[in-house]
Amino acid sequence: MDYFKKLSGLLREERKEDRSIYETLTASTSIYDRRANGLTWYPLANRGTEPSKGDYINVEFERTSYQDINPQFKSGSAVMLFSNHNPKEDRLEGTVTYLSGNKLKINFRTEELPDWADDGKLGIDTLFDDNSYDEMEKALTIAEKRLEAGGKDDRLVKIITGLKKPEFYEQRKVHGLSEHLNTSQQLAITKIIQAEDLAIVHGPPGTGKTTTLVQAIAMQLEQGAKKVLVTAPSNTAVDLLSERLSEKGLKVLRIGNPARISERLESLSLDYQLAQHPANKEIRAFKKRAKEFKDMAHKYKRNFGKAEREQRKALFDEARNIMKSVEKTEQYMMDDLVAKAQIITATLVGSQHYSIAKITYDAVFIDEAGQALEPACWIPILKAPKLVLAGDHQQLPPTIKSREAAKQGLAETLMEKCTRLYPEAVVLLEEQYRMHRSIMHYASQVFYDNKLRAHHTVAEQLLFTGDLPVSFIDTAGCGFEEKIENTAISNPEEAQFLFQHLMQFCLQLVQHFKDKKYPSIAIISPYKAQVQLLKDLLIESQLPGDIKNYITVNTIDSYQGQEREVVYISMTRSNPDSKIGFLSDNRRMNVAMTRAKKKLVVIGDSATLSQFDFYKNFIQYTEAQDSYLSAWEFMEY
């Protein structure tokens, strides 16, 4: 069908661009630059080897320095082990099977590490992630074949592609809804339970989407579902849902490695549950025996004759035979754990993990669907007759590398398409529990048809009496012009001004929070170069008390899903041509503005920004609230 042919073509374009960017980044950079970008871990210490299935081994490594840099790889990523003595030749490809903090395990298709691995200076480079693209391509091909073949498996595919309408069984009664849920949350859960094939939960910032989903999944099981798949594009979202579902007493099995390492979360993972399985004692004994045979074989590693060679081969053969028994027992353990789980949780691509690849479900839930690439969504969709999409397509969109693919339609998410096609399947969560009503109101007006309401517990919350919940500080005419160096955009004078203002504000906080914990403060900018400037200024600043400990500085994208009591936004752009780059993506600013609970301060140049309706109207909104201020008012500081 043309639908899938077009989508596959756009995905190929995206893969090509993604690979090109990766190759450009890695081909011309040093090991130290790659390390700084999270593409390389170096140096590494070998913490031990154990036999794996077939001719494979698992090796555990630990990163011994530069531990504050976030890795650009994850469990399932292809990586290359190298020795920096001879990095072009001493290389061995493997797959990350476990990643936790500064430790990881890599599975290598070899019976022993090469000699050079004993000589130190080891590191790993991440390789281009072909696996995710392969799984997406495969899912699109299967979906297309189902559509062409017809039959009972094609109903959901037809609905998503616009060939059939979703159906709802309104006679199905929904009992036992928690009295703590508001009306729109109850409506969303009812819609999910009554849906035969598709339901959509649109959850704006702070509206309790996760709470709603957890209750809906629990009720889906109460209504007779035997097994539910819960997915999201990010590990963080999957971890949160896994934890919350487990807290309700449901049997959750987390596939993949949890991103947030906590004892409770780790106990939900497949690796942990395999280690706790009664049959694991037998596995450990088998593996110990296989390792003994391999260790004996390794004694014949250098300078041996025919007899030694035969003895070495016999030892490896015996180890291999033992590992075949291990494989069978591990498969039994895995099947047992999967069978007992009510809920399987994984990322979109992780839902095709070998341990669950052939499992079918009664329903699949996709959280953060407003950030998910459509081809990735098809991986879990094909595993169930019913789909629930949850998220907010008015916040950050998926990251797409190819401008052409984005322009041709890859940027439109499945949630956007289905919301447009089937408004009857959508429930908007209307009551928010995060923001003062003045912070909420502009976002509600622009993105949510004025339907958002602030819950009474937050509607009038202030840091202290008389404080402004929203303000725009206009730097027009101050000469705070942006600087562009190698495409990096910053505004040093605006950054300095922000800290002058923050200093005065913190002096007020000291007066009002004498014996109390200070409020959390986020300083946000859309531009990485400006963020770095702001981070440097924070380090240098002489803010009173220990307020620095309550302040974080980062880009907008990094704050998705988070909240702070106070948010400062440095808009950065200030130029005579009114160029604002990706500030023109209003959804990014929706995320930035709605992180604030009690106070939002936006600092920017109205002369540059007000050429665009979104910013012109926001400035007018602050004027109507008597919270438009000129930077000149603060210059005496």
Side-chain angles (χ1 to χ4, degrees), residues 20-31 33-34 37 39:
S20 172
I21 292 169
Y22 171 82
E23 288 173 353
T24 301
L25 190 61
T26 55
S28 59
T29 53
S30 69
I31 182 175
D33 290 334
R34 294 198 307 276
N37 287 319
L39 296 167

Side-chain angles (χ1 to χ4, degrees), residues 36 40 48 51 117 157 164 208 236 238 242 249 257 272 274 279 307-308 367 396 462 466 471 486 534 574:
T40 294
V157 181
K164 266 190 180 196
T236 306
V238 177
S242 301
N257 293 122
Y272 181 91
L274 281 171
E308 288 86 353
D367 192 18
L396 288 179
L462 292 171
S471 58
N486 299 322
L534 291 163
S574 178

